[in-house]
Amino acid sequence: MIFHTSVKAALSAVAVGSALLLPAAGSASATSVNTSGDASASASASGGSATAVSFDAKCRSHNRKYVLKKYYRRVPVGPPTFYTLRCGTKTWGWKHIKLGHGWNSTMDRKITAAIGTGDPNGRGGYSTYLNQCPRVEKFRTILGTPAGTNDLLTAYNVDRPIVAGAVAC
């Protein structure tokens, strides 16, 4: 009887301990940390505005060349290449994207996808395409700024209807 009681107590302690180690889905410790180390990643995932506020604050206290985030692209050989999102100005970088195209977590995810796995677009960046024939571009990034060639100049949705007479696949 004493053996069964101690086994039950030990099992209860393990269950409670493991429950304490696993954070709840909505808790701050359960959120993932983004690549910029921004603590507001959870708010960014839920609404996107906290990252914009955080980036606003960082850009107010730093110059236009301040790196807000790095986006990575795998290359066949060697370490991944990275591209930077800098504070920028109204004509390039994060400030340009925010003012001209809107910044939220969806824009961030689209940039990540285009740079990470997209195809070169002939405009000095990478694009993602609809999975159809003929191929239709849906999102574009353009790289190269006054601050550096591996910096994100702009990113935007490409709203182009399918061209009549396009080459059939």
Side-chain angles (χ1 to χ4, degrees):
M1 186 66 127
I2 294 175
F3 175 74
H4 291 293
T5 305
S6 62
V7 170
K8 287 181 184 178
L11 289 175
S12 295
V14 169
V16 169
S18 64
L20 292 174
L21 293 174
L22 298 174
S27 71
S29 59
T31 60
S32 63
V33 176
N34 66 12
T35 57
S36 67
D38 188 358
S40 62
S42 63
S44 145
S46 63
S49 62
T51 300
V53 170
S54 172
F55 283 180
D56 268 333
K58 287 180 182 179
C59 288
R60 272 195 304 272
S61 61
H62 294 88
N63 68 18
R64 64 189 175 93
K65 293 183 178 181
Y66 180 77
V67 175
L68 292 170
K69 185 168 183 173
K70 291 181 180 180
Y71 295 96
Y72 293 90
R73 181 171 182 83
R74 288 204 173 273
V75 292
V77 178
T81 303
F82 69 89
Y83 299 92
T84 54
L85 175 63
R86 296 182 187 268
C87 286
T89 67
K90 65 180 181 178
T91 59
W92 62 272
W94 180 77
K95 287 180 182 177
H96 166 75
I97 295 169
K98 180 186 170 206
L99 293 172
H101 309 290
W103 181 265
N104 57 28
S105 59
T106 301
M107 178 63 83
D108 188 33
R109 279 193 308 274
K110 288 179 178 181
I111 293 169
T112 300
I115 290 176
T117 60
D119 294 333
N121 59 25
R123 302 269 324 261
Y126 299 98
S127 295
T128 55
Y129 296 84
L130 295 174
N131 189 18
Q132 67 182 40
C133 184
R135 236 172 145 200
V136 176
E137 185 178 21
K138 65 179 183 175
F139 188 80
R140 177 182 298 163
T141 63
I142 298 177
L143 303 168
T145 70
T149 57
N150 279 4
D151 292 341
L152 187 61
L153 175 74
T154 190
Y156 53 91
N157 291 314
V158 178
D159 299 320
R160 210 178 322 168
I162 297 174
V163 178
V167 177
C169 296

